[in-house]
Amino acid sequence: MRIFLAPMEGVVDHTMRTMLTQVGGIDRCVTEFVRVTTTLLPPKTFYRLCPELHKQGLTPSGVPVYVQLLGGQPEPMAINAERAAQLGAPGIDINFGCPAKQVNRSDGGSVLLQEPDRVFAIVDAVRKAVPASTPVTVKIRLGFNDRSLLEDVTQAIFAANASELTIHARTKEDGYKPPAYWDAIADIYANSPIPIIANGEIWSVADYHQCIKESGCQDIMLGRGILACPDLARQINATQLEQHVRVMDWLMVVELLVQFCVVTEAMYERKYVGNRVKQWLGYLRRQYPQAAVLFEQVKRLKWPEDIAAAIALHKTEYSKAI
Ligand SMILES: Cc1cc2nc3c(=O)[nH]c(=O)nc-3n(C[C@H](O)[C@H](O)[C@H](O)COP(=O)(O)O)c2cc1C
């Protein structure tokens, strides 16, 4: 069983990968997508989305980070994959799942699920462009408007010699509306020559068990669920090993937020720290009621020192109250 951290544009960046892999239980991460059009992108684009390339493509906790590419043309995808591999990416992931209108209109993401031949051409070109030792993984949804081409798309991906396939168990049309249809992955998994990773709507250990039961998969990818519950991967690992693990309490999460401010300030302009913290609190709110309280306390603040002071005060008040 392996657990992967989902790519999430504007949310799971280098700083978030640092925090979540430090908590533990994650076997691999994927960057936000690098948008490929027609040109070979400069190294700085790859380093910006994947600063881990300066450190052998590993997070500070030693977890590999694959570079995700999104685009509709085989040749530009291939040359950019080659570049990412040369810069030290431990693997390349190809995005055929993005539902964003703007991305789909410009020939990328889930719109390509309507064209299995092009999916083949892209994966095949990328596979041939990078060394055999560099895994090429693919991420899809169940389809664009419906699931009618799922079998053709997955066969195309297998024929192109992809290393692994992650399936977000919804179509583009389904958007992010629950549920995720884990059972729709079962046939693909049963007949696949490569590992299949199930993704979508895993918010708890119970969801994990249900997902592997319905999909048959052993490996999973966690997105919003692990943002809401930072030790979810660790909890899932513990149940697999039948070990007891101490579940993170709110004060431990607050400590994580303090560190998040520090690593975020080191990476971005100071004015962005507040928004990043508020964004994470938005996800944490689902699991920790106190996150909503802290959100109210920081919502008008922008500067790191003000946010840090508000978090410190919150910690004192909360500790007194429990
Ligand atoms: C804000 C946001 C940004 C995302 N960005 C990406 C992305 O860059 N690449 C990608 O393949 N999927 C992206 N996704 C999809 C997630 O990787 C994942 O498939 C989806 O959120 C379902 O998993 P979850 O229910 O565990 O969150 C994004 C999802 C969200 C909510």
Side-chain angles (χ1 to χ4, degrees):
M1 191 265 301
R2 297 172 301 164
I3 301 179
F4 302 134
L5 177 61
M8 288 176 66
E9 196 212 1
V11 186
V12 179
D13 63 349
H14 159 259
T15 56
M16 189 59 86
R17 291 192 290 271
T18 298
M19 303 313 300
L20 294 176
T21 57
Q22 176 191 308
V23 174
I26 296 169
D27 294 284
R28 188 164 83 210
C29 305
V30 185
T31 64
E32 300 159 87
F33 63 78
V34 175
R35 181 79 181 97
V36 173
T37 52
T38 52
T39 54
L40 176 60
L41 294 161
K44 69 167 193 248
T45 304
F46 293 89
Y47 286 125
R48 180 172 55 79
L49 286 164
C50 189
E52 292 95 339
L53 289 173
H54 293 294
K55 309 264 176 185
Q56 292 90 45
L58 303 173
T59 70
S61 314
V63 177
V65 183
Y66 286 11
V67 170
Q68 187 179 67
L69 302 180
L70 180 151
Q73 299 303 321
E75 188 51 29
M77 288 288 277
I79 55 173
N80 282 287
E82 187 182 15
R83 168 150 287 173
Q86 280 163 357
L87 294 174
I92 306 295
D93 187 65
I94 307 176
N95 177 328
F96 293 119
C98 183
K101 276 204 180 69
Q102 207 186 342
V103 167
N104 284 191
R105 250 188 263 117
S106 62
D107 201 28
S110 59
V111 73
L112 297 171
L113 296 174
Q114 299 177 113
E115 297 180 61
D117 291 348
R118 200 128 68 96
V119 168
F120 172 82
I122 292 167
V123 179
D124 183 54
V126 168
R127 178 61 281 170
K128 287 176 175 152
V130 299
S133 56
T134 304
V136 173
T137 58
V138 177
K139 184 160 179 282
I140 63 170
R141 285 178 172 247
L142 296 175
F144 190 67
N145 291 321
D146 59 42
R147 303 177 195 172
S148 56
L149 291 174
L150 180 59
E151 172 74 15
D152 294 347
V153 167
T154 52
Q155 287 303 329
I157 291 165
F158 303 153
N161 288 316
S163 314
E164 297 183 8
L165 170 63
T166 303
I167 307 182
H168 175 187
R170 274 187 279 241
T171 62
K172 178 255 161 194
E173 202 51 37
D174 297 329
Y176 287 97
K177 274 192 313 284
Y181 302 94
W182 301 316
D183 59 334
I185 303 178
D187 277 350
I188 312 281
Y189 171 80
N191 298 302
S192 171
I194 60 174
I196 302 289
I197 297 124
N199 167 242
E201 296 296 324
I202 303 173
W203 297 91
S204 63
V205 174
D207 289 342
Y208 157 75
H209 285 298
Q210 194 60 28
C211 172
I212 55 167
K213 191 168 147 206
E214 289 184 23
S215 67
C217 296
Q218 295 168 19
D219 303 326
I220 57 155
M221 177 177 272
L222 301 173
R224 293 160 303 159
I226 196 167
L227 289 164
C229 178
D231 63 346
L232 182 56
R234 226 173 52 185
Q235 288 184 34
I236 293 171
N237 271 300
T239 62
Q240 277 295 111
L241 301 169
E242 296 185 6
Q243 285 172 349
H244 181 71
V245 67
R246 183 176 165 204
V247 172
M248 269 186 125
D249 61 26
W250 174 240
L251 281 177
M252 293 159 88
V253 176
V254 170
E255 274 314 313
L256 214 54
L257 281 166
V258 171
Q259 281 184 44
F260 184 58
C261 288
V262 175
V263 290
T264 304
E265 194 177 350
M267 277 302 286
Y268 296 103
E269 280 182 54
R270 301 177 77 247
K271 64 179 179 193
Y272 295 124
V273 173
N275 282 347
R276 301 281 298 149
V277 171
K278 287 173 224 171
Q279 183 187 52
W280 196 5
L281 283 169
Y283 286 100
L284 288 165
R285 218 160 19 184
R286 183 167 172 138
Q287 187 74 19
Y288 296 92
Q290 281 301 317
V293 177
L294 180 54
F295 184 88
E296 284 304 309
Q297 291 162 343
V298 300
K299 76 176 180 199
R300 290 197 182 78
L301 307 177
K302 174 167 165 186
W303 301 109
E305 57 275 18
D306 297 335
I307 302 264
I311 294 177
L313 182 62
H314 174 88
K315 222 165 93 179
T316 314
E317 284 170 354
Y318 179 75
S319 304
K320 267 196 231 145
I322 54 171

